[in-house]
């Protein structure tokens, strides 16, 4: 783990140096968090570009890391070094002495760091009988990410081709997995590299969201509430938990350690806790969201500032270089998390329409985005197997199924929507704080209420779009857009809770009760994960052993035929499959049915099989219990070919 920690530290240092070019006044912790995210995005993009030219190796990864660390040279500038020293001294001062506020701050960060540590430790682990995951929604997603990572480290997959669908570009945002592969080439272990990156990105998201909420609301306490509402999000599922508890006849302690199901995702609920359904399963969002929040923070600053005072305090060069640089950060999103870029496009377009008088900054930002995003989009959209027509259709009610749409959202998000309305009302009527006010939750002047409500318009639009249209082949994937409506709404909810707590009357216990209702269901699902109640085997020992043999006995870019399942042993070998899990392929807009029929016909054997083997240039055919049971593989037909590898009940035949 030491190697992974050192690597993420180098990445963070380079990114942190760049924050001094875009923000004058920020805390040391914010800069470290933003630096981790920015540095990771830069390193991932460099790995993609350079590895596509010369391949991924120890040398390539070292070169990319060295380039990503070049911004550290900014610390040799006197002004940057002075501000860094000041930020470090302020951070040190916050750790000195002991009082209730400092203890609360330390306990707050320590609590979430411990949660992240224990939660992401369950993403991927190995036991004597195979590879496991402890995430209830990670059974299919873990192999998807492992397949991408191993295709980079073992399969020489550059320029990146889709390891699950031979002959097409890898259109799925893969930078987070490429970063893991880069760490592995520098000596890191797979599990530790994934773990350290996940924890670092999650903690960075915590800090960035806290600060984003504080900037919008002027309430430090609201800033503390917002990450809790995100990471422990849920609806009224806890009522179903108490129903299960009552009907089980078990003690509360027993059922908490043996929970029968999740309470934010399943037959009754579709929103899902963000940790369980998004951040463990979709590593691309775990990196893409904090990067997006950095950009949203800049957009809010631009949207809300007084233009005359701003022009007096900043040079003309910085006035345009800052949006250009931040735009370039956003421009890396197509290969990190494309839906986040779509969100930024919608938000920026609406804000530009509202405040077109700041068109110079908006255009500079857009130009920065285009410099990076357009080439990436052109690359990813040419040669892909995805049908873009499947990524939009009219579809009312998101994934509400047979539920009434109003009841669906209340059931899935609990008191969130009423508290959004309450937060807007309270913000509208909030008093202007005194300049000398020292309360923990209000330390900056209020913004114009109308500005905040106007800034919220694009997030409401995201919610409306997510409920009337399908923005992906699988309607549930709209959550990649809807989660940003949730992010944009959190400041209002958190502000309402902070105001209730500040009242020091009957509303203070009411604030605690409201917070408990908002996070109880999500907390139950997160607890179910970190307590080790879920343990699902993804790959058995035969799969691991045959994968090791495949890596030794076949060429890195070999094409292998296997059953279209999510956990084929081929995943662990890094070799390319003709076709893998149809669920993943359909969600990526790939018309898999004709090829799936051909896969079935090949496994049937005979003259048609030989013809199709030649058509697809299949080099190896895998036969395991999966192929025998689901495809009725005619192994007698394939016995005329030599066995290239064998482990237990799994055999790999070389097609000659």
């Amino acid at each position: 783990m030491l190697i992974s920690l050192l690597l993420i530290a180098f990445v963070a240092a380079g990114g942190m140096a760049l924050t001094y070019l875009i923000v004058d006044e920020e805390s040391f912790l914010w800069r470290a968090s933003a630096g981790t995210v920015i540095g990771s995005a830069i390193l991932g993009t460099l790995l993609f570009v350079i590895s596509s030219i010369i391949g991924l190796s120890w040398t390539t990864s070292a070169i990319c890391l060295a380039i990503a660390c070049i911004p550290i040279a900014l610390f040799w500038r006197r002004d940057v070094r002075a501000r860094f020293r000041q930020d470090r001294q302020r951070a040190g001062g916050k750790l000195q002495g002991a009082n209730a506020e400092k203890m609360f701050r330390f306990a707050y960060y320590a609590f979430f760091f411990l949660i992240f540590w224990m939660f992401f430790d369950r993403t991927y682990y190995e036991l004597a009988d195979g590879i496991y995951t402890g995430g209830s929604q990670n059974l299919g997603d873990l192999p998807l990410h492992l397949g991408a990572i191993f295709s980079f480290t073992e399969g020489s997959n550059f320029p990146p081709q889709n390891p699950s669908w031979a002959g097409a570009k890898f259109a799925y945002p893969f930078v987070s997995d490429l970063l893991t592969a880069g760490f592995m080439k520098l000596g890191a272990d797979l599990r530790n590299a994934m773990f350290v990156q996940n924890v670092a990105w999650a903690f960075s998201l915590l800090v960035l969201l806290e600060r984003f909420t504080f900037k919008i609301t002027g309430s430090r306490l609201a800033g503390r509430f917002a990450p809790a509402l995100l990471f422990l999000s849920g609806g009224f599922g806890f009522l179903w938990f108490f129903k299960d508890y009552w009907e089980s006849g078990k003690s509360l302690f027993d059922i908490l350690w043996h929970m029968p199901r999740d309470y934010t995702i399943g037959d009754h609920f579709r929103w899902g806790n963000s940790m369980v359904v998004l951040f463990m399963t979709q590593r691309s969002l775990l990196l893409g969201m904090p990067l997006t929040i950095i950009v949203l923070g800049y957009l809010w600053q631009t949207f809300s500032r007084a233009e005359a005072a701003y022009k007096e305090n900043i040079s003309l060069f910085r006035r345009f270089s800052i949006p250009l640089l931040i735009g370039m950060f956003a421009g890396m999103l197509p290969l990190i998390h494309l839906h986040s870029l779509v969100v930024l496009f919608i938000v920026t377009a609406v804000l530009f329409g509202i405040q077109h008088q700041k068109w110079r900054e908006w255009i500079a930002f857009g130009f920065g985005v285009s410099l990076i995003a357009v080439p990436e989009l052109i690359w990813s959209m040419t040669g892909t197997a995805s049908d873009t027509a499947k990524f939009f259709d009219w579809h009312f009610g998101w994934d509400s199924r047979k539920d009434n749409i109003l009841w669906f959202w209340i059931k899935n998000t609990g008191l969130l929507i009423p508290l959004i309305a309450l937060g807007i009302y309270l913000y509208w009527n909030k008093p202007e704080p005194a300049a000398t006010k020292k309360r923990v939750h209000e330390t900056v002047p209020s913004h114009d209420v109308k500005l905040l409500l106007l800034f919220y318009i694009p997030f409401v639009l995201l919610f409306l779009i997510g409920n009337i249209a399908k923005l992906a082949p699988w309607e549930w994937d709209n959550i990649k857009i809807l989660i940003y409506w949730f992010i944009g709404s959190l400041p209002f909810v958190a502000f309402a809770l902070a105001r209730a707590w500040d009242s020091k009357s009957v509303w203070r216990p009411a604030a605690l009760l409201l917070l408990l209702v908002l996070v109880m269901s999500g907390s139950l699902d997160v607890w179910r994960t970190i307590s080790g109640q879920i343990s699902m085997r993804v790959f058995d020992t035969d799969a691991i052993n045959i994968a090791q043999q495949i890596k030794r006995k076949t060429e890195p870019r070999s094409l292998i035929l296997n059953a279209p399942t999510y956990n084929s042993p081929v995943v662990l070998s890094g070799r390319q499959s003709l076709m893998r899990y149809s669920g993943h392929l359909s969600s990526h807009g790939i018309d898999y049915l004709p090829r799936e029929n051909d896969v079935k016909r090949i496994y049937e054997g005979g003259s048609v099989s030989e013809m199709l083997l030649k058509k697809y240039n299949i080099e190896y055919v895998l036969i395991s219990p999966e192929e025998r049971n689901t495809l009725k593989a005619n192994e007698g037909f394939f016995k005329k070919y030599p066995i290239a590898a064998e482990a237990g009940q799994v055999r790999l035949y070389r097609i000659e």
Side-chain angles (χ1 to χ4, degrees):
M1 183 176 294
L2 179 60
I3 294 176
S4 297
L5 290 172
L6 289 173
L7 290 173
I8 203 72
F10 280 120
V11 168
M16 185 177 184
L18 287 172
T19 66
Y20 286 93
L21 298 181
I22 60 174
V23 181
D24 289 328
E25 295 294 331
E26 270 298 353
S27 70
F28 185 89
L29 185 59
W30 185 92
R31 292 191 188 278
S33 300
T36 300
V37 175
I38 293 170
S40 296
I42 292 173
L43 177 58
T45 303
L46 288 170
L47 283 168
F48 162 64
V49 174
I50 297 179
S51 296
S52 294
I53 299 172
I54 63 175
L56 182 66
S57 63
W58 183 92
T59 304
T60 307
S61 298
I63 291 172
C64 292
L65 180 63
I67 297 173
C69 289
I70 287 176
I72 294 176
L74 289 168
F75 289 119
W76 269 259
R77 281 178 40 175
R78 182 177 299 176
D79 60 327
V80 173
R81 193 164 60 250
R83 283 189 287 159
F84 173 76
R85 189 182 304 114
Q86 184 181 48
D87 292 339
R88 189 180 59 188
Q89 290 172 349
R90 287 176 179 173
K94 292 179 180 179
L95 298 175
Q96 295 176 358
N99 57 44
E101 180 181 339
K102 291 182 178 180
M103 291 179 64
F104 171 76
R105 184 188 302 117
F106 175 80
Y108 175 83
Y109 293 124
F111 170 77
F112 277 104
F113 182 81
L114 182 63
I115 291 292
F116 298 149
W117 185 282
M118 298 173 66
F119 183 84
F120 290 111
D121 187 58
R122 303 293 298 169
T123 302
Y124 165 96
Y125 58 96
E126 295 185 30
L127 298 176
D129 61 339
I131 295 173
Y132 283 75
T133 183
S136 63
Q137 306 299 308
N138 202 35
L139 185 62
D141 287 278
L142 177 60
L144 179 68
H145 292 293
L146 293 181
I149 293 168
F150 284 125
S151 77
F152 298 135
T153 60
E154 310 294 336
S156 301
N157 188 20
F158 294 98
Q161 300 291 302
N162 192 336
S164 300
W165 186 262
K169 279 186 179 177
F170 200 7
Y172 182 83
F174 53 76
V175 162
S176 59
D177 294 325
L178 180 55
L179 278 164
T180 302
F183 275 31
M184 291 171 66
K185 287 296 183 180
L186 291 170
D189 171 78
L190 167 64
R191 183 175 188 272
N192 289 332
M194 289 182 65
F195 173 75
V196 168
Q197 289 170 350
N198 289 347
V199 172
W201 296 337
F203 192 81
S204 297
L205 175 57
L206 165 78
V207 174
L208 295 169
L209 178 59
E210 176 192 8
R211 186 65 175 170
F212 174 71
T213 304
F214 166 64
K215 285 182 177 179
I216 285 180
T217 64
S219 168
R220 293 196 184 276
L221 186 57
R224 299 273 162 74
F225 279 137
L229 297 173
L230 172 64
F231 291 115
L232 302 177
S233 59
F236 282 136
F238 65 88
L239 298 176
W240 275 253
F241 166 78
F242 286 117
K243 179 177 180 291
D244 290 341
Y245 160 63
W246 181 262
E247 293 177 349
S248 69
K250 299 178 181 179
S251 68
L252 183 60
F253 179 84
D254 284 342
I255 197 169
L256 280 173
W257 280 96
H258 302 90
M259 294 167 60
R261 52 177 167 159
D262 286 336
Y263 292 95
T264 65
I265 189 73
D267 293 335
H268 297 289
F269 302 95
R270 302 306 300 157
W271 179 248
N273 169 260
S274 62
M275 295 269 284
V276 173
V277 305
L278 294 176
F279 299 144
M280 178 183 283
T281 62
Q282 301 182 31
R283 302 183 71 231
S284 55
L285 179 62
L286 189 57
L287 176 57
M289 180 176 284
L291 182 60
T292 303
I293 289 177
I294 292 172
V295 179
L296 288 175
Y298 165 76
L299 295 178
W300 164 249
Q301 177 186 340
T302 301
F303 187 74
S304 62
R305 72 182 176 220
E307 198 67 10
Y310 178 72
K311 291 179 180 178
E312 291 179 1
N313 294 306
I314 190 170
S315 67
L316 184 63
F317 173 77
R318 292 199 69 210
R319 184 179 174 187
F320 295 104
S321 65
I322 291 174
L324 178 69
L325 186 56
I326 291 179
M328 292 174 69
F329 295 158
M332 294 184 284
L333 281 169
L335 298 180
I336 295 174
H337 191 249
L338 181 58
H339 283 81
S340 292
L341 182 66
V342 173
V343 166
L344 287 178
F345 175 81
I346 294 173
V347 172
T348 306
V350 173
L351 297 183
F352 176 76
I354 296 173
Q355 280 196 355
H356 55 273
Q357 65 271 23
K358 297 179 181 178
W359 63 271
R360 294 176 180 84
E361 285 89 340
W362 297 124
I363 289 180
F365 170 75
F367 182 70
V369 174
S370 301
L371 280 176
I372 310 296
V374 170
E376 288 191 356
L377 287 170
I378 292 174
W379 179 88
S380 62
M381 294 178 68
T382 54
T384 178
S386 300
D387 182 359
T388 55
K390 295 183 178 180
F391 282 81
F392 182 86
D393 196 6
W394 299 110
H395 182 85
F396 179 75
W398 184 42
D399 201 19
S400 58
R401 302 181 181 182
K402 296 181 180 180
D403 280 344
N404 173 275
I405 185 64
L406 180 61
W407 166 238
F408 169 80
W409 279 110
I410 292 175
K411 180 176 68 172
N412 277 271
T413 61
L415 299 176
L416 179 80
I417 294 176
L419 284 174
I420 293 172
L422 177 61
I424 292 173
Y425 171 79
L426 292 174
Y427 195 89
W428 186 277
N429 293 281
K430 91 171 193 174
E432 189 76 20
T436 59
K437 197 166 186 176
K438 299 295 184 182
R439 306 186 79 87
V440 67
H441 65 289
E442 291 201 272
T443 59
V444 298
S446 298
H447 296 290
D448 186 335
V449 174
K450 292 182 179 179
L451 281 176
L452 181 54
L453 295 181
L454 290 172
F455 186 75
Y456 187 53
I457 288 176
F459 297 96
V460 175
L461 183 61
L462 292 175
F463 181 77
L464 294 175
I465 293 172
N467 277 277
I468 63 174
K470 186 171 65 170
L471 304 175
W474 181 30
E475 62 269 14
W476 189 85
D477 275 345
N478 272 21
I479 197 170
K480 298 174 184 178
I481 297 291
L482 291 168
I483 191 65
Y484 282 105
W485 157 74
F486 188 79
I487 291 291
S489 302
L490 285 181
F492 293 111
V493 180
F495 183 76
L497 295 175
R499 284 293 299 273
W501 177 262
D502 182 55
S503 66
K504 293 184 177 180
S505 62
V506 68
W507 289 108
R508 175 164 284 193
L512 289 177
L513 179 60
L514 290 170
L515 178 63
L516 183 64
V517 170
L518 287 167
V519 304
M520 184 179 291
S521 299
S523 298
L524 288 170
D525 284 2
V526 171
W527 164 252
R528 185 172 182 236
T529 301
I530 66 176
S531 59
Q533 297 180 44
I534 304 167
S535 186
M536 299 183 293
R537 188 169 68 176
V538 187
F539 298 99
D540 60 21
T541 52
D542 283 351
I544 297 172
N545 291 335
I546 195 73
Q548 293 298 324
Q549 293 185 49
I550 292 173
K551 287 190 286 187
R552 292 195 306 268
K553 299 178 179 181
T554 68
E555 293 298 316
R557 298 185 70 87
S558 299
L559 178 58
I560 300 178
L561 179 72
N562 55 265
T565 182
Y566 62 89
N567 62 343
S568 171
V570 180
V571 168
L572 302 177
S573 72
R575 303 317 188 242
Q576 192 171 55
S577 295
L578 179 66
M579 174 183 175
R580 289 184 191 162
Y581 184 44
S582 58
H584 291 152
L585 298 173
S586 63
S587 68
H588 299 159
I590 296 175
D591 182 13
Y592 64 87
L593 287 176
R595 186 174 292 189
E596 184 181 50
N597 290 330
D598 286 346
V599 169
K600 293 177 181 178
R601 296 171 71 187
I602 292 175
Y603 275 108
E604 290 174 356
S607 58
V608 174
S609 175
E610 292 180 343
M611 180 185 68
L612 292 173
L613 286 170
K614 292 179 180 179
K615 172 186 175 182
Y616 289 109
N617 296 315
I618 304 294
E619 297 172 79
Y620 297 90
V621 173
L622 184 81
I623 297 184
S624 71
E626 182 69 29
E627 283 77 16
R628 296 186 186 100
N629 295 332
T630 62
L631 299 177
K632 309 300 180 185
N634 180 2
E635 193 162 3
F637 170 80
F638 292 98
K639 285 185 177 179
K640 64 184 180 181
Y641 298 109
I643 295 177
E646 184 174 10
Q649 301 183 61
V650 186
R651 296 183 184 89
L652 183 75
Y653 293 93
R654 184 171 68 249
I655 306 302
E656 296 178 334

